[in-house]
Amino acid sequence: MIRHIVAWRLATEDPAEKAAQGRKIAEDLLALRGVVPSIEAISVGPDVVGGTNWDVALVADFADQAALEAYQTHPDHQVVVAYVRSVVADRVAVDFEI
């Protein structure tokens, strides 16, 4: 099993815009459950603490690297990726076996 963790720092400094973008990223990624068959589990949401934390994080599980690759290249995921890239300033990710 591969655990895929991603965190994003949004480009905007406006709190209302940041909150709206964080919610949209979370909703769009969660909507992939049941659409992208290789997703075993997915959790995503905006940061609720603030401060120096990253703005939005995703944790998703996949059976293996092939399943992760299927998710990453899935057309519906690519639509979400396009939006995320349009509002994000920075991204960090790690994939590890569980």
Side-chain angles (χ1 to χ4, degrees):
M1 182 80 60
I2 301 292
R3 178 153 290 162
H4 176 62
I5 300 175
V6 183
W8 298 275
R9 191 163 279 132
L10 299 171
T12 185
E13 294 298 323
D14 178 79
E17 188 175 22
K18 187 174 285 200
Q21 290 172 354
R23 280 191 308 274
K24 177 169 175 45
I25 290 170
E27 290 168 3
D28 290 355
L29 286 167
L30 289 171
L32 296 176
R33 190 178 339 175
V35 174
V36 179
S38 63
I39 297 172
E40 299 277 334
I42 187 168
S43 299
V44 58
D47 178 60
V48 296
V49 176
T52 60
N53 291 346
W54 290 71
D55 298 310
V56 184
L58 166 131
V59 177
D61 295 337
F62 300 89
D64 52 28
Q65 285 182 307
L68 173 59
E69 177 65 22
Y71 161 76
Q72 291 177 326
T73 59
H74 192 282
D76 291 316
H77 177 251
Q78 288 300 308
V79 171
V80 179
V81 166
Y83 173 74
V84 170
R85 287 182 178 159
S86 76
V87 297
V88 163
D90 205 0
R91 173 188 182 272
V92 63
V94 63
D95 302 297
F96 60 92
E97 290 187 14
I98 56 170

